[in-house]
Amino acid sequence: MMRRLLKKCYIASQLALLTTIAAAQQTPPNERFSSCLAALRSDAASRGVSATVFDRLTRGLSPDLSVLEFLDYQPEFRTPIWDYLAGLVDDERVADALAMREKWSAALATAADRYQVDSDTIVAVWGVESNFGRNFGKRPLLTSLGTLACFGRRQAYFRGEFLSTLKILDSGDIAPERLVGSWAGAFGHTQFMPSTFLRLAVDGDGDGKRDLIDSVPDALASTAHFLQRGGWRKGEPWGYEVLLPPGFDSSVAGRGNKRPLAHWSARGVRRADGQAIGPSDAAAGLLLPAGARGPAFLVFRNFDVIYGYNAAESYALAIAHLADRIKGGKPFVTPWPTDDPGLSRRERRELQSLLAARGYPIGEIDGMIGANSRQAIQSEQKRLGLAANGRAGQKLLVALRADSPTGK
Ligand code: CA
């Protein structure tokens, strides 16, 4: 979560980053960092962090300017939604989710009951945020947040997160060497930001500590608490896929433009699964994540609650859809409006293997499409007469399967 807040104009922010780097080059970064920390130290007491604690926890801290590169890259906003969802909600993640739901059934039931939320949505958040604890991020929180508090364009926000981190460490809930996370400081099974941790993390396993890193029950209960505090309505769906009648005026779309269900059914909107839209006054917004030609959804209050976890509609749809798939739901009925759909993680690994077999330096076959994979994809797209956009899609995968490297 908390890649939110960071989605402003890309070009302006790139300029700001260059300016930051230029300024950082004029004054040595370590010098700037020291004076910035000194200023933070004088703020710390008013935020409940004593000078003694501040000194103890920041001794020897130095900045890591590489985190600044991430400040402007957010996959939720820069990836086509069909690629984003194909990687996050694939058969592997559904299977993993079912196994985890089974393994942690007692902790999930307790959390869902205590906070009156949907347990499959908790599992879905866990699966998307950290791939069920497999991907926490590896960056020491104090280093990343100290850097972001002193360099870059969101310093005020990250100063608060830095001080929150000091508070967490001072409380003893989590050991300093365990506190690693994403570049932005989200950490643990459910990738809470430090301020969110202070506000909403709870002790799920009853050991007296709130530990989102080494306690799955704590993480599941904390997510349940987050959803409850966001206003979750137990027993209501997040929404469902719908079909629009021909000629439908899609200018009424928008998550915020909520209307009674009767409004939508009177305009010919039908559920994609064939069920009737209930005769209810529940307010629903029409979501068209890829425009009028793609899948359409009516979304209720609970969709907004998920959106609160990480303010991106694509993210909320991934969680919501994964929760449905965990319950046995089907993939969307309406295809995405593209002739080159996205790849699951299994297909991404297959694509990487096909590229590696052709001699490209792909490195680890991990399903993560990085710079090496993109470059190889682009070369092969060119060779095969496809649009050379460097994107991992079905067209290239199908073409490479049919084009054996040994046959060359
Ligand atoms: Ca605990």
Side-chain angles (χ1 to χ4, degrees):
M1 68 191 300
M2 207 54 55
R3 288 148 292 212
R4 71 170 80 168
L5 303 178
L6 309 169
K7 53 179 169 180
K8 291 281 148 149
C9 171
Y10 182 63
I11 292 170
S13 60
Q14 283 301 92
L15 288 174
L17 180 58
L18 290 176
T19 314
T20 306
I21 290 169
Q25 279 162 350
Q26 281 156 20
T27 314
N30 282 322
E31 228 169 87
R32 264 190 67 174
F33 191 63
S34 301
S35 54
C36 171
L37 278 190
L40 270 170
R41 184 179 185 271
S42 59
D43 263 7
S46 67
R47 305 282 297 262
V49 179
S50 74
T52 320
V53 168
F54 189 95
D55 291 344
R56 175 167 58 82
L57 293 171
T58 62
R59 191 172 300 131
L61 195 64
S62 56
D64 173 7
L65 298 180
S66 72
V67 298
L68 298 175
E69 292 166 26
F70 296 90
L71 207 47
D72 296 300
Y73 183 79
Q74 295 182 271
E76 297 92 324
F77 300 105
R78 311 219 30 217
T79 309
I81 185 154
W82 43 87
D83 285 344
Y84 181 75
L85 283 171
L88 282 178
V89 188
D90 58 14
D91 292 343
E92 259 177 290
R93 207 176 308 266
V94 174
D96 286 347
L98 290 174
M100 288 304 190
R101 183 172 78 163
E102 176 75 25
K103 180 173 178 187
W104 296 99
S105 58
L108 276 166
T110 305
D113 185 54
R114 180 169 161 195
Y115 296 107
Q116 293 293 295
V117 296
D118 172 52
S119 67
D120 291 332
T121 302
I122 303 174
V123 176
V125 168
W126 186 19
V128 167
E129 286 293 341
S130 71
N131 196 17
F132 310 102
R134 293 190 191 101
N135 185 9
F136 282 174
K138 293 184 179 138
R139 293 168 181 272
L141 243 62
L142 280 182
T143 301
S144 305
L145 290 171
T147 306
L148 293 161
C150 295
F151 302 91
R153 63 192 172 80
R154 294 211 45 93
Q155 295 179 23
Y157 166 70
F158 285 112
R159 263 175 220 150
E161 295 301 329
F162 181 74
L163 293 175
S164 293
T165 308
L166 295 178
K167 273 191 184 173
I168 294 170
L169 290 172
D170 187 38
S171 75
D173 278 336
I174 298 170
E177 67 278 8
R178 298 291 296 145
L179 198 52
V180 296
S182 77
W183 66 269
F187 68 96
H189 285 276
T190 50
Q191 297 284 289
F192 273 16
M193 288 299 286
S195 60
T196 311
F197 177 98
L198 290 177
R199 214 158 41 86
L200 296 174
V202 293
D203 177 20
D205 58 16
D207 72 348
K209 290 186 175 183
R210 305 182 292 167
D211 185 352
L212 301 185
I213 294 174
D214 289 316
S215 169
V216 170
D218 284 11
L220 299 177
S222 298
T223 296
H225 186 213
F226 187 105
L227 295 172
Q228 185 222 33
R229 289 282 291 272
W232 188 269
R233 292 182 186 161
K234 177 132 177 142
E236 285 187 16
W238 60 268
Y240 37 71
E241 189 184 353
V242 294
L243 302 173
L244 306 177
F248 186 83
D249 172 16
S250 62
S251 69
V252 297
R255 186 173 55 90
N257 186 23
K258 291 209 170 38
R259 305 289 175 87
L261 275 177
H263 171 91
W264 300 113
S265 53
R267 276 154 189 78
V269 176
R270 293 178 295 127
R271 282 183 68 144
D273 63 9
Q275 291 183 50
I277 290 183
S280 142
D281 287 333
L286 177 67
L287 197 70
L288 300 175
R293 293 193 308 117
F297 307 90
L298 282 181
V299 295
F300 301 95
R301 169 67 193 226
N302 284 347
F303 187 84
D304 297 332
V305 177
I306 302 171
Y307 179 90
Y309 214 95
N310 179 17
E313 286 176 354
S314 51
Y315 171 91
L317 189 60
I319 302 280
H321 185 46
L322 180 56
D324 277 358
R325 295 288 302 276
I326 296 169
K327 293 178 198 300
K330 300 258 185 319
F332 299 139
V333 170
T334 302
W336 294 109
T338 173
D339 63 352
D340 190 12
L343 302 180
S344 68
R345 289 170 297 161
R346 193 181 302 279
E347 289 167 331
R348 286 174 200 186
R349 293 196 297 272
E350 183 188 351
L351 178 64
Q352 286 179 317
S353 299
L354 289 165
L355 292 168
R358 284 160 176 77
Y360 291 101
I362 298 299
E364 198 189 337
I365 306 296
D366 56 5
M368 314 275 280
I369 304 298
N372 284 346
S373 294
R374 269 197 297 276
Q375 216 158 35
I377 288 168
Q378 210 160 15
S379 302
E380 285 299 288
Q381 285 172 325
K382 250 181 227 163
R383 185 178 71 78
L384 293 161
L386 301 169
N389 54 17
R391 183 182 151 259
Q394 291 287 348
K395 273 189 182 173
L396 181 63
L397 178 62
V398 169
L400 287 181
R401 277 174 184 159
D403 168 69
S404 157
T406 53
K408 273 197 282 189

